[in-house]
Amino acid sequence: MEHYRERIPARGTSDCPFSQYHLHLSHPGSVFAHTHWHPEAEILYMKTGLVEVRCDKLVFSLSPGQIAFISPGTLHAIYALEADSSYDAFVFSFDLLSLQPT
């Protein structure tokens, strides 16, 4: 499973471990995110079009206005099912939710 770990620098800063991404694809069948996992949680907010989300063995679609929560360490991938599909992704450490300073 380590092979699928997303290799990017830490999200945000130590005071605010959070990153926001806007993703858009014009062609159905395109891959938004190849199969990967990361130690942070992720919230997807669907803006336009339709995508297929694969989380471990669960497969579901998201349409505009819907959200999905991906737990830390969950293997996942996202594919465009319609033209002009877009979503916002919010990736964050659970430390962000702590009421105590780290």
Side-chain angles (χ1 to χ4, degrees):
M1 180 131 138
E2 189 63 27
H3 170 74
Y4 292 105
R5 183 176 180 151
E6 187 175 54
R7 305 281 183 212
I8 68 165
R11 311 267 183 206
T13 66
S14 60
D15 291 335
C16 186
F18 170 87
S19 291
Q20 187 269 333
Y21 306 94
H22 177 76
L23 297 114
H24 178 265
L25 284 175
S26 299
H27 304 289
S30 299
V31 179
F32 274 109
H34 290 282
T35 302
H36 70 288
W37 69 272
H38 37 76
E40 301 90 1
E42 184 168 359
I43 295 174
L44 306 176
Y45 173 70
M46 197 64 195
K47 306 277 279 188
T48 62
L50 184 69
V51 298
E52 177 180 275
V53 180
R54 298 179 185 181
C55 290
D56 287 334
K57 295 180 181 181
L58 180 65
V59 178
F60 57 93
S61 60
L62 283 180
S63 56
Q66 293 183 315
I67 62 170
F69 178 82
I70 301 171
S71 298
T74 301
L75 202 58
H76 60 285
I78 304 163
Y79 303 89
L81 296 178
E82 291 182 353
D84 293 320
S85 294
S86 66
Y87 67 92
D88 289 328
F90 306 92
V91 185
F92 59 96
S93 167
F94 275 155
D95 292 343
L96 184 67
L97 304 177
S98 173
L99 298 178
Q100 299 177 13
T102 55

